[in-house]
Amino acid sequence: MRQLIPVLALAAALFVQSQTVAMAIDVVPAGNRNAEQPNIPGASVRRTKAGKTSFDAKYEKVRDLLANDRELTGKIKSVAGKYGIDPIHMVGAIVGEHTYNVDAYDRLQSYYVKAASYTGSFRFAYEGEQVADFVDRPEFAQCASKKGSYGLWTCREAVWNRSFKGRTVGGTSFPNNRFSAVFFQPFYAGQTFGLGQINPLTALTLTDDVARISGYDRLDESDAAGVYKAIMDPDISLAYMAASIRRSIDAYKKIAGVDISKNPGVTATLYNIGNPDARASAFAARRATGEVTWPEENYYGWLVNDKLAELRGLL
């Protein structure tokens, strides 16, 4: 028995050591993996030209907003702290959105004014079918067991991609487009809103996280006006930004075994392109074959890393 005890102790130590190795997380290095900025999508180029401006001018405008509005940067720091993320990730996302998607307003107060004016009888629907009825179709039955808004809407988006996108189902022809563009943007496809440029579907996906951490009311797909009001309000928009970034960081840790929290360009990229769980899975598969070592930034995240020293100075 005396001889058995040291053997068991050694076995236990080796087990703990093996578990620690198995759970090791690789930290993604700082900086860009690409020496030059990846190509900027044509839609962003055309939108910027149509506005008779430039990416440099738009970047400088949003940088100046952050530099001159200490109330805004104070809010960013406060919200980031609640979600356990470095505020530079939120700054990066704001800069990316307002450089490549929309022009920034000159003052934070302008976002509040815009939110207050945003009223109307909106609904999320396609060809007269409201999304609440659409997700009651039998194809979505598998999602009923999902717990929480993140699991539920991620499942529903996957069903859309697999069973409806670009297909004709039950006599209805569905566009070969994103679920969010088809059902959740009644004004024009691709539109996002507010300081954080939050997509309505993204807000619905993250509503449980935001309700739990920030205490805001949960959103409902049957109340489109309520969803738009939430994502237009700068304070609530910041909470959804933080929740989105937190989810991306957690997904890459859990699924791919890498920590992206030290690389704002990567988190900005994921904020831009979305679907962090699926992207983490795809990256993990490519990494396992030796095809890639680290996740790479896109054009949007590349700018954030390239301007990182200046952006950190804003905080």
Side-chain angles (χ1 to χ4, degrees), residues 179-224:
F179 190 28
S180 59
V182 176
F183 271 94
F184 293 93
Q185 293 160 353
F187 304 103
Y188 56 88
Q191 188 170 6
T192 50
F193 299 86
L195 179 63
Q197 290 294 288
I198 304 293
N199 181 290
L201 177 56
T202 299
L204 287 166
T205 302
L206 297 170
T207 189
D208 280 356
D209 292 351
V210 171
R212 184 181 70 256
I213 298 172
S214 296
Y216 292 117
D217 291 341
R218 291 186 73 263
L219 304 178
D220 188 286
E221 67 270 22
S222 297
D223 180 16

Side-chain angles (χ1 to χ4, degrees), residues 252-265:
Y252 271 71
K253 275 187 178 179
K254 180 179 179 181
I255 299 170
V258 296
D259 181 1
I260 62 174
S261 68
K262 308 302 181 185
N263 193 308

Side-chain angles (χ1 to χ4, degrees), residues 47 83 90 103-104 128 139 144 150 187 217 219 242 264-265:
R47 186 162 52 242
Y83 288 81
M90 297 179 66
D103 277 314
E139 290 88 346
Y150 189 83
F187 304 103
D217 291 341
L219 304 178

Side-chain angles (χ1 to χ4, degrees), residues 1 3-4 17 20 27 70 82-83 95 101 115 127 133 137 158 162 169 180 182 195-196 202 207-208 213 267 299 315:
M1 186 65 177
Q3 294 177 334
L4 183 60
Q17 184 180 17
T20 301
V27 179
R70 306 320 296 170
K82 291 180 180 179
Y83 288 81
V95 166
N101 289 332
E127 296 292 329
D133 297 323
R137 290 184 179 220
R162 184 171 60 250
V169 181
S180 59
V182 176
L195 179 63
T202 299
T207 189
D208 280 356
I213 298 172
T267 58
Y299 69 98
L315 294 167

Side-chain angles (χ1 to χ4, degrees), residues 26 66 70-71 93 98 149 166 192 204 252 273:
D26 295 325
L66 291 161
R70 306 320 296 170
E71 179 186 3
H98 289 80
S149 61
T192 50
L204 287 166
Y252 271 71
I273 60 180

Side-chain angles (χ1 to χ4, degrees), residues 5-311:
I5 291 175
V7 173
L8 292 175
L10 177 60
L14 290 172
F15 175 79
V16 170
Q17 184 180 17
S18 68
Q19 292 298 101
T20 301
V21 172
M23 294 171 61
I25 302 295
D26 295 325
V27 179
V28 176
N32 287 316
R33 307 283 78 84
N34 296 288
E36 296 183 358
Q37 185 177 29
N39 290 334
I40 300 170
S44 184
V45 173
R46 290 190 295 272
R47 186 162 52 242
T48 299
K49 285 184 176 179
K52 297 181 179 179
T53 183
S54 68
F55 293 126
D56 286 343
K58 290 168 73 176
Y59 168 79
E60 290 167 5
K61 188 173 183 180
V62 66
R63 178 203 60 198
D64 291 346
L65 167 67
L66 291 161
N68 298 327
D69 199 323
R70 306 320 296 170
E71 179 186 3
L72 173 55
T73 52
K75 287 176 181 289
I76 290 170
K77 291 178 183 178
S78 176
V79 173
K82 291 180 180 179
Y83 288 81
I85 62 174
D86 187 329
I88 192 62
H89 296 293
M90 297 179 66
V91 167
I94 291 171
V95 166
E97 288 296 331
H98 289 80
T99 298
Y100 295 111
N101 289 332
V102 297
D103 277 314
Y105 288 123
D106 293 319
R107 298 180 304 128
L108 175 62
Q109 187 59 36
S110 298
Y111 288 96
Y112 289 106
V113 172
K114 182 68 173 177
S117 68
Y118 214 80
T119 58
S121 55
F122 315 129
R123 64 175 187 159
F124 297 136
Y126 174 71
E127 296 292 329
E129 183 177 15
Q130 296 196 50
V131 73
D133 297 323
F134 178 68
V135 296
D136 269 345
R137 290 184 179 220
E139 290 88 346
F140 293 95
Q142 61 190 281
C143 300
S145 61
K146 301 296 182 181
K147 294 182 179 179
S149 61
Y150 189 83
L152 178 63
W153 285 103
T154 299
C155 176
R156 287 172 171 173
E157 188 171 18
V159 171
W160 163 265
N161 290 334
R162 184 171 60 250
S163 302
F164 293 93
K165 183 180 179 181
R167 297 172 179 266
T168 298
V169 181
T172 300
S173 179
F174 294 98
N176 185 23
N177 205 343
R178 294 170 292 113
F179 190 28
S180 59
V182 176
F183 271 94
F184 293 93
Q185 293 160 353
F187 304 103
Y188 56 88
Q191 188 170 6
T192 50
F193 299 86
L195 179 63
Q197 290 294 288
I198 304 293
N199 181 290
L201 177 56
T202 299
L204 287 166
T205 302
L206 297 170
T207 189
D208 280 356
D209 292 351
V210 171
R212 184 181 70 256
I213 298 172
S214 296
Y216 292 117
D217 291 341
R218 291 186 73 263
L219 304 178
D220 188 286
E221 67 270 22
S222 297
D223 180 16
V227 174
Y228 280 116
K229 181 180 178 182
I231 61 181
M232 289 293 288
D233 183 291
D235 296 335
I236 306 177
S237 181
L238 287 173
Y240 277 96
M241 288 186 69
S244 175
I245 293 164
R246 178 77 260 171
R247 280 284 180 177
S248 292
I249 292 171
D250 291 346
Y252 271 71
K253 275 187 178 179
K254 180 179 179 181
I255 299 170
V258 296
D259 181 1
I260 62 174
S261 68
K262 308 302 181 185
N263 193 308
V266 172
T267 58
T269 295
L270 291 166
Y271 190 83
N272 174 234
I273 60 180
N275 298 315
D277 286 34
R279 296 185 190 281
S281 295
F283 166 74
R286 294 177 65 203
R287 194 178 194 225
T289 66
E291 183 181 349
V292 294
T293 303
W294 303 115
E296 295 185 5
E297 70 289 339
N298 69 352
Y299 69 98
Y300 176 123
W302 192 95
L303 174 77
V304 173
N305 276 341
D306 188 56
K307 302 286 189 181
L308 191 57
E310 183 175 29
L311 298 181

